[in-house]
Amino acid sequence: MYKKACKHFAEDKQTKDMAYWNDVLWFDETKINLFGSDVVKRVTATSRHLYLGPLHHDSVFDLKPRQETSASGRMVDYSVWDHIEVSDDEDDTHPNIDTASLFRWRHQARVERMEQFDKEKEELQKGTNECKRKLTECQTKLKELQVHCDAKGDTEKLKKEVDQLKKEEKNWRKKEDELKKKEKTMPWNVDTLCKEGFSKSVFNVKSDENVETEEQKEQKHKTFVEKNLKQLKHFGMLHRWDDSQKYLSDNPHLVCEETANYLVIWCIDLEVEEKHALMEQVSHQTIVMQFILELAKSLKVDPRACFRQFFTKIKTADQQYMDAFNDELEAFKGRVRERAKIRIEKALKEYEEEERKKRLGPGGLDPVEVYESLPPELQKCFDSKDIQMLQDTISKMDPNEARIYMKQCIDSGLWVPNANADAPDGEDVDPVYEEAKNESPNEQKGAS
């Protein structure tokens, strides 16, 4: 029945011109139940009514402001909703009017009206408080004078002043009432329609108790590697996308930060061992794991929940995405090579330092460094292991300079004085020469 009525209404009105529709009063109604449930009511027609057309030919609605009775018996006045400035830009404007300028002017005018009203309210409150203060002071003085019965002239003067202040207070109250009435008649807007009931800010900050220390992280990584070493190495050897996806599906616990850290360390170890091809293979799997972790971080989900999404994307990825993957892989290989080079240099330095400490003489000097600092004629004596030549060379040198050189040779172990002192009595001991521990191309030895 309703569909037929709608069809009849549309067919009847489809030929009407614009002049007809300009005379039509359009009506929208929103029903809000503030108190109680829906009830059926009969509304009597009045002089101000609205005819809704053939669909509702028996329905006549009163357009006057209504008042309904709530469950508590109080009257609900709906007329306050008749004057609301919800927005400064809610109405349509004429095409010849600059709409943006009009909206700005409306907003500015409304703000200025509110500021002017607030200023009047503040001045009224200030004047009322000042009048009450003066009235209180005068009444206090008047009571003091009446108690002491002094200065009748001043008493009369104060009485007149009190009466005058009471009249002023009455006038201030009258102005206050007028201002309240004016405030009630002012239309509501977005600033006065409602007020903030309460404001609460909550910051979700992780407690310090859950923050892992470096020692805890290291221990966690060590435990994870010891438990899953075989599986980690197997994953690092894979290359095809399908094989990697299937292996991670069977071992989802490997999709974590610890796996990526282990693969990075393994790559550096392989480069140090000069296993370059194997390093490049493991680097590929390292970047795969890092991409999965980055995807999980961007989606704010657990990495185990999105690694399939990564493989689906990478297998059907466009050239731009693959270029980004390959660029990151090459950059990672470069970082691994640089880190391996630094580690090798550090190991060599440590080895050289250990060797230097081992060959230090009794005085704490390095024989290699002392030998290189000697004059060529002294170096020749130590190379030939000729004691007589050494004595002759020292005798020809400046005594102070020779003393310094010989002390350095003794402290470094190049020269061992009184080497025959520990030999048994009556035995002839051939001179003993001690070879200096060094890595110079010439063989350096010490004579005793």
Side-chain angles (χ1 to χ4, degrees):
M1 188 68 181
Y2 177 76
K3 292 182 179 179
K4 290 182 179 180
C6 290
K7 181 180 178 182
H8 176 71
F9 178 81
E11 292 174 349
D12 182 53
K13 304 300 182 184
Q14 66 180 352
T15 59
K16 299 296 183 182
D17 57 3
M18 187 58 70
Y20 171 83
W21 293 109
N22 288 337
D23 295 333
V24 174
L25 178 62
W26 298 96
F27 173 71
D28 287 329
E29 180 180 6
T30 301
K31 185 172 182 2
I32 302 174
N33 293 332
L34 297 179
F35 306 97
S37 61
D38 290 341
V39 293
V40 179
K41 291 186 178 181
R42 297 291 180 180
V43 182
T44 306
T46 64
S47 58
R48 299 172 61 191
H49 62 273
L50 174 65
Y51 177 65
L52 294 183
L55 294 181
H56 307 279
H57 57 278
D58 294 331
S59 302
V60 180
F61 292 87
D62 185 11
L63 298 182
K64 289 183 179 180
R66 299 173 298 168
Q67 289 184 340
E68 294 183 2
T69 305
S70 66
S72 60
R74 297 175 58 188
M75 299 299 294
V76 181
D77 187 5
Y78 293 98
S79 62
V80 295
W81 301 95
D82 294 339
H83 304 287
I84 301 178
E85 294 178 349
V86 178
S87 174
D88 298 323
D89 56 358
E90 62 180 354
D91 297 330
D92 294 332
T93 59
H94 193 273
N96 296 334
I97 298 177
D98 184 7
T99 305
S101 300
L102 177 62
F103 291 163
R104 285 196 300 271
W105 175 82
R106 283 181 177 178
H107 177 75
Q108 183 178 356
R110 179 172 61 82
V111 171
E112 290 177 355
R113 287 198 304 270
M114 292 178 62
E115 291 177 352
Q116 182 64 26
F117 180 79
D118 292 339
K119 186 176 180 181
E120 292 179 4
K121 192 174 182 179
E122 184 179 354
E123 292 178 354
L124 178 62
Q125 187 66 30
K126 187 177 179 181
T128 303
N129 294 337
E130 183 67 19
C131 181
K132 288 181 179 180
R133 184 186 65 79
K134 291 181 179 179
L135 179 61
T136 303
E137 290 179 356
C138 289
Q139 289 176 344
T140 303
K141 291 180 181 179
L142 182 61
K143 287 181 181 180
E144 291 177 355
L145 292 175
Q146 289 177 349
V147 169
H148 295 87
C149 299
D150 295 335
K152 293 184 179 180
D154 294 340
T155 303
E156 294 296 330
K157 184 178 179 181
L158 283 174
K159 284 183 179 180
K160 292 181 180 180
E161 190 174 352
V162 167
D163 293 338
Q164 181 65 26
L165 289 173
K166 286 182 177 180
K167 290 180 181 180
E168 291 182 5
E169 184 184 16
K170 189 175 181 180
N171 293 332
W172 283 115
R173 288 179 181 175
K174 188 181 294 185
K175 292 180 180 179
E176 203 171 26
D177 294 338
E178 292 176 356
L179 190 65
K180 288 180 179 179
K181 290 180 181 179
K182 181 180 178 181
E183 185 176 9
K184 288 183 178 181
T185 58
M186 292 177 63
W188 290 354
N189 54 57
V190 293
D191 297 323
T192 60
L193 192 61
C194 59
K195 296 181 180 179
E196 183 178 309
F198 67 92
S199 180
K200 182 180 180 181
S201 300
V202 179
F203 296 91
N204 187 15
V205 181
K206 291 184 178 180
S207 59
D208 295 337
E209 299 177 357
N210 298 329
V211 178
E212 295 181 344
T213 61
E214 292 299 327
E215 291 78 8
Q216 291 175 337
K217 291 180 180 179
E218 184 178 354
Q219 184 61 34
K220 181 180 178 182
H221 175 76
K222 184 178 179 181
T223 304
F224 179 83
V225 172
E226 291 176 353
K227 186 177 179 181
N228 305 283
L229 181 59
K230 185 177 179 180
Q231 295 173 336
L232 291 170
K233 287 185 176 295
H234 182 85
F235 175 75
M237 295 296 182
L238 299 176
H239 184 72
R240 297 177 65 251
W241 304 117
D242 294 333
D243 294 340
S244 299
Q245 181 178 359
K246 184 178 183 305
Y247 194 75
L248 291 180
S249 299
D250 297 336
N251 304 277
H253 61 280
L254 297 180
V255 187
C256 61
E257 191 75 28
E258 284 73 19
T259 299
N261 294 338
Y262 171 77
L263 294 177
V264 171
I265 297 172
W266 190 17
C267 289
I268 298 174
D269 292 340
L270 293 173
E271 183 64 21
V272 171
E273 297 170 4
E274 298 184 355
K275 299 178 181 179
H276 307 298
L278 188 55
M279 182 276 291
E280 293 182 357
Q281 168 59 37
V282 179
S283 297
H284 179 272
Q285 296 300 93
T286 305
I287 298 301
V288 168
M289 186 57 63
Q290 289 182 355
F291 265 59
I292 294 173
L293 296 175
E294 288 297 325
L295 178 61
K297 189 181 296 184
S298 63
L299 298 178
K300 297 181 180 180
V301 297
D302 191 282
R304 293 170 292 182
C306 68
F307 72 89
R308 293 181 181 85
Q309 184 177 350
F310 164 75
F311 286 108
T312 302
K313 183 176 182 180
I314 198 68
K315 285 187 286 189
T316 60
D318 54 9
Q319 188 62 34
Q320 184 178 1
Y321 189 80
M322 290 303 302
D323 290 342
F325 181 87
N326 293 327
D327 291 344
E328 181 62 27
L329 177 58
E330 293 302 323
F332 175 75
K333 292 177 184 178
R335 293 194 295 270
V336 168
R337 294 188 183 99
E338 188 67 25
R339 186 70 184 95
K341 183 179 178 181
I342 295 174
R343 184 189 288 186
I344 293 172
E345 292 176 355
K346 183 179 179 182
L348 288 175
K349 288 181 180 179
E350 291 177 354
Y351 175 77
E352 291 175 357
E353 182 65 22
E354 290 177 1
E355 290 297 317
R356 192 186 71 83
K357 289 180 179 179
K358 288 179 182 179
R359 63 175 180 252
L360 292 180
L365 296 181
D366 185 0
V368 175
E369 295 177 357
V370 172
Y371 175 82
E372 292 176 352
S373 65
L374 295 176
E377 54 271 19
L378 285 178
Q379 290 182 0
K380 187 176 180 181
C381 296
F382 283 102
D383 291 339
S384 62
K385 305 176 185 178
D386 192 338
I387 299 176
Q388 186 62 39
M389 184 187 296
L390 178 63
Q391 293 175 353
D392 295 340
T393 303
I394 291 175
S395 62
K396 295 177 182 179
M397 296 177 63
D398 181 72
N400 294 329
E401 186 178 356
R403 190 179 299 109
I404 293 173
Y405 283 133
M406 290 307 297
K407 186 174 186 312
Q408 291 178 352
C409 292
I410 294 171
D411 290 340
S412 63
L414 285 175
W415 176 261
V416 182
N418 302 324
N420 296 332
D422 297 333
D425 295 339
E427 294 183 6
D428 294 332
V429 180
D430 295 332
V432 178
Y433 297 92
E434 293 184 357
E435 183 178 355
K437 299 176 183 178
N438 58 72
E439 298 177 1
S440 62
N442 297 326
E443 182 182 12
Q444 296 116 29
K445 296 183 178 180
S448 57

